[in-house]
Amino acid sequence: MKTIEQQLEQLFPEMVKRRRFLHQHPEVSYQEKETSAYVAKCLEELGIPIKRGEKGYSVTGELKGDLPGPTVALRADMDALPIQDAKSVEYASKTPGVMHACGHDAHTTTLLGIAEVLSTRKSELRGTIRFLFQPAEEISPGGAAPLIGEGAIDGVDAVYGVHLWSQMPIGEAQTRSGAFMAAADEFFIDIKGKGGHGGLPHQTIDSVLIGSQLVVNLQTIASRYMDPTEPCVISVGSIHAGSSFNVIAETCSLNGTVRTFSIEARDRIREQMRKIVEQTCAMYGAQVDFRYKVGYPPVVNDEKETERFFKVGADLFGKSNVQVSPYIMAAEDFAYYLERVPGCFVFVGAGNKDAGIVMPHHHPLFDIDETSMLHAARLLIGLAMDYMNEHA
């Protein structure tokens, strides 16, 4: 019988076709109808029983090995982004204004490849593999929480996931124990002052001035209120006010994000933001509405399962190619799985400077080196089987 690596190599041309088909037919969060149907069809053709999501477009498959043992979940996300694909390639998106600019097409393809390989090796599987094809990772509240609510990880002993990362060279992999990726929250500030003539500012309450002051004042939270060893980010992403050069705007709206690595830091920042917003606006005599939307929690990897990654990864890729990641300020709703089940989330290199594959995620020219799917598949299979063999 062929080795797992030989099976993946043989399957690779078909994986490329699948990935490019999905890349040509992207669907944004909460609209993954055709993508989920495609996934379900592939799993059913492999003889893997599936469950369709009751809320949304999730697909869960379960492969029971012939030998008793634990249940390990492997997860892939399926949604695309509202971005126009600007690549000049034959597999560019055919859907105007929508593209897979974050690699979820490749994540889905990788997990389908794993399912195909492992479905031929049930005799050596010590337990059960549960395949989680998740919608809506890109937009909070996300697809993980509803999937969990429908029982997708009931009875699961460990969970693993990967993110192909174009900013990391092919052949490398990174993660870290404990907090790895940030919690991502959103805030909204609506200021109401008093509009008036641009030449008579003393007769107004200038909402633009107050909004500008808030942009500056909010930065003092990270620089002067938080412990400097505690990573955090407060960013105002948009500010909207006014319609004419000579009119002082009555209203100004700010919208932004907060990134933290602990619930304690999140709560502390939120309370200090509220104080700064209310007191700054009160100082100028303006009214304000401050809203804070809690998003995904931080991704916190289990210590033992992170150690497993470094052991398995070193065997697969070489010790020098398996590294401790810096903190990542991007967010992931894989965090919800890790709140309930021990596991590990890993970045797998998908960039290739020689091939010109260097663009960051969420960019109109984003692409991956497709051989990264083989690395991701080998890693996820290795983690799952190592866990199953240890706990059988």
Side-chain angles (χ1 to χ4, degrees):
M1 188 177 184
K2 291 185 176 69
T3 65
I4 288 174
E5 184 144 358
Q6 287 171 333
Q7 283 184 280
L8 286 170
E9 290 284 353
Q10 185 176 351
L11 183 60
F12 182 63
E14 180 62 26
M15 291 174 68
V16 170
K17 289 180 183 178
R18 283 178 178 168
R19 183 257 166 169
R20 294 185 178 187
F21 172 81
L22 292 172
H23 198 83
Q24 288 178 305
H25 301 91
E27 294 174 300
V28 295
S29 304
Y30 303 107
Q31 296 180 29
E32 306 92 338
K33 181 179 179 180
E34 298 302 325
T35 304
S36 61
Y38 179 84
V39 167
K41 181 174 181 291
C42 290
L43 293 177
E44 288 173 335
E45 289 175 350
L46 294 172
I48 296 176
I50 66 165
K51 178 183 177 182
R52 304 293 296 269
E54 298 169 10
K55 299 176 182 178
Y57 293 106
S58 66
V59 181
T60 303
E62 189 158 285
L63 179 66
K64 293 185 180 294
D66 292 342
L67 303 171
T71 297
V72 175
L74 304 177
R75 177 269 210 166
D77 37 19
M78 301 186 291
D79 53 329
L81 287 155
I83 297 173
Q84 179 63 44
D85 196 344
K87 296 190 299 300
S88 296
V89 294
E90 63 180 11
Y91 52 88
S93 172
K94 294 182 177 181
T95 305
V98 181
M99 74 170 287
H100 275 290
C102 204
H104 295 187
D105 52 340
H107 299 167
T108 299
T109 300
T110 297
L111 197 54
L112 286 173
I114 293 170
E116 186 162 344
V117 169
L118 293 184
S119 66
T120 68
R121 310 182 77 94
K122 291 174 63 176
S123 62
E124 61 191 82
L125 274 184
R126 298 178 179 273
T128 299
I129 301 286
R130 192 171 297 171
F131 303 100
L132 307 179
F133 291 89
Q134 180 204 305
E137 184 278 327
E138 293 288 358
I139 300 178
S140 178
L147 193 54
I148 292 168
E150 293 174 9
I153 59 170
D154 290 357
V156 168
D157 298 289
V159 61
Y160 304 106
V162 301
H163 203 307
L164 298 178
W165 201 244
S166 66
Q167 303 303 285
M168 188 188 305
I170 194 79
E172 295 184 6
Q174 292 183 358
T175 195
R176 65 184 299 125
S177 180
F180 171 36
M181 300 180 71
D185 300 336
E186 188 175 5
F187 61 86
F188 307 84
I189 303 170
D190 294 317
I191 304 162
K192 185 177 181 182
K194 180 182 177 183
H197 196 291
L200 303 170
H202 61 292
Q203 297 178 355
T204 73
I205 298 175
D206 190 343
S207 66
V208 174
L209 170 70
I210 299 167
S212 302
Q213 192 67 52
L214 280 176
V215 173
V216 175
N217 287 354
L218 290 173
Q219 299 312 308
T220 65
I221 297 175
S223 65
R224 288 297 179 268
Y225 184 72
M226 300 298 291
D227 185 330
T229 63
E230 174 86 43
C232 63
V233 169
I234 303 170
S235 294
V236 176
S238 69
I239 180 167
H240 296 281
S243 58
S244 179
F245 79 99
N246 62 348
V247 176
I248 290 176
E250 183 156 321
T251 62
C252 179
S253 296
L254 290 75
N255 181 212
T257 187
V258 175
R259 304 294 169 112
T260 54
F261 285 93
S262 72
I263 302 304
E264 294 76 18
R266 166 193 269 172
D267 292 342
R268 198 158 183 243
I269 287 174
R270 175 171 51 183
E271 182 56 31
Q272 187 67 6
M273 285 183 71
R274 185 177 300 281
K275 291 178 182 178
I276 286 176
V277 168
E278 291 177 351
Q279 292 174 14
T280 300
C281 291
M283 181 174 66
Y284 290 100
Q287 300 175 37
V288 66
D289 178 34
F290 173 68
R291 287 163 288 138
Y292 191 101
K293 179 183 176 183
V294 173
Y296 300 159
V299 172
V300 181
N301 283 329
D302 180 79
E303 181 179 359
K304 186 172 182 180
E305 296 315 312
T306 305
E307 291 174 0
R308 190 183 310 279
F309 156 73
F310 283 106
K311 179 187 72 171
V312 172
D315 290 342
L316 291 172
F317 309 135
K319 190 173 182 179
S320 64
N321 290 322
V322 179
Q323 303 146 3
V324 176
S325 173
Y327 290 113
I328 302 296
M329 285 297 179
E332 244 283 352
D333 71 349
F334 194 85
Y336 290 117
Y337 303 114
L338 292 173
E339 285 185 330
R340 293 160 176 81
V341 178
C344 188
F345 193 68
V346 178
F347 279 14
V348 173
N352 187 333
K353 289 184 178 180
D354 293 338
I357 300 173
V358 295
M359 290 301 180
H361 294 249
H362 296 208
H363 190 282
L365 294 174
F366 172 82
D367 208 349
I368 62 163
D369 183 324
E370 289 168 322
T371 59
S372 62
M373 295 188 293
L374 290 180
H375 296 295
R378 292 166 63 205
L379 179 61
L380 286 173
I381 291 173
L383 289 170
M385 297 191 77
D386 189 79
Y387 184 95
M388 294 166 86
N389 290 338
E390 178 183 327
H391 291 86

